Amino acid sequence: MAFIQKCYNVGIVNGVSQVGGLIGAQSETASSNSSNSYNAGWVYGVSMVGSICGYSPVNKFANCAYVAQMCPQGGVNNVDIAATKSLLTTELASNSD
């Protein structure tokens, strides 16, 4: 099982489809979990774009966040899910202690 934990992105991610700030795409059989990570960089794409993950049918995420001003498209698959949250830059900074 693969884990993505305590990771972050502050760069620019640009693509066409399945574009994510931390993960581009996760398969249905993915055994990976992503937790305690955030994206504070810009994410650009045409379809299946997410501030955390561009495409994931399994949504194995916990306590992941992204900066709302940089990534307006939602956490996973263009929408927010319960395990991803949109924060303002000041909120993300105060949660990093």
Side-chain angles (χ1 to χ4, degrees), residues 18 25-33 53 55-60 77:
Q18 299 181 351
Q26 202 175 40
S27 72
E28 279 189 43
T29 58
S31 61
S32 63
N33 293 312
C53 180
Y55 173 74
S56 176
V58 292
N59 295 331
K60 293 185 177 182
N77 302 343

Side-chain angles (χ1 to χ4, degrees), residues 17 22-23 30 35 38 43 49 55 59 65 82:
S17 181
L22 298 175
I23 302 166
S35 64
Y38 71 91
V43 180
V49 180
Y55 173 74
N59 295 331

Side-chain angles (χ1 to χ4, degrees), residues 6-86:
K6 298 181 182 178
C7 295
Y8 67 92
N9 171 48
V10 293
I12 298 170
V13 181
N14 192 9
V16 177
S17 181
Q18 299 181 351
V19 184
L22 298 175
I23 302 166
Q26 202 175 40
S27 72
E28 279 189 43
T29 58
S31 61
S32 63
N33 293 312
S34 304
S35 64
N36 301 316
S37 299
Y38 71 91
N39 178 35
W42 295 97
V43 180
Y44 300 102
V46 177
S47 67
M48 291 184 274
V49 180
S51 301
I52 302 297
C53 180
Y55 173 74
S56 176
V58 292
N59 295 331
K60 293 185 177 182
F61 302 95
N63 195 32
C64 291
Y66 63 93
V67 176
Q69 300 101 308
M70 307 290 270
C71 309
Q73 61 271 86
V76 180
N77 302 343
N78 299 318
V79 298
D80 279 328
I81 61 172
T84 63
K85 59 184 170 181
S86 169

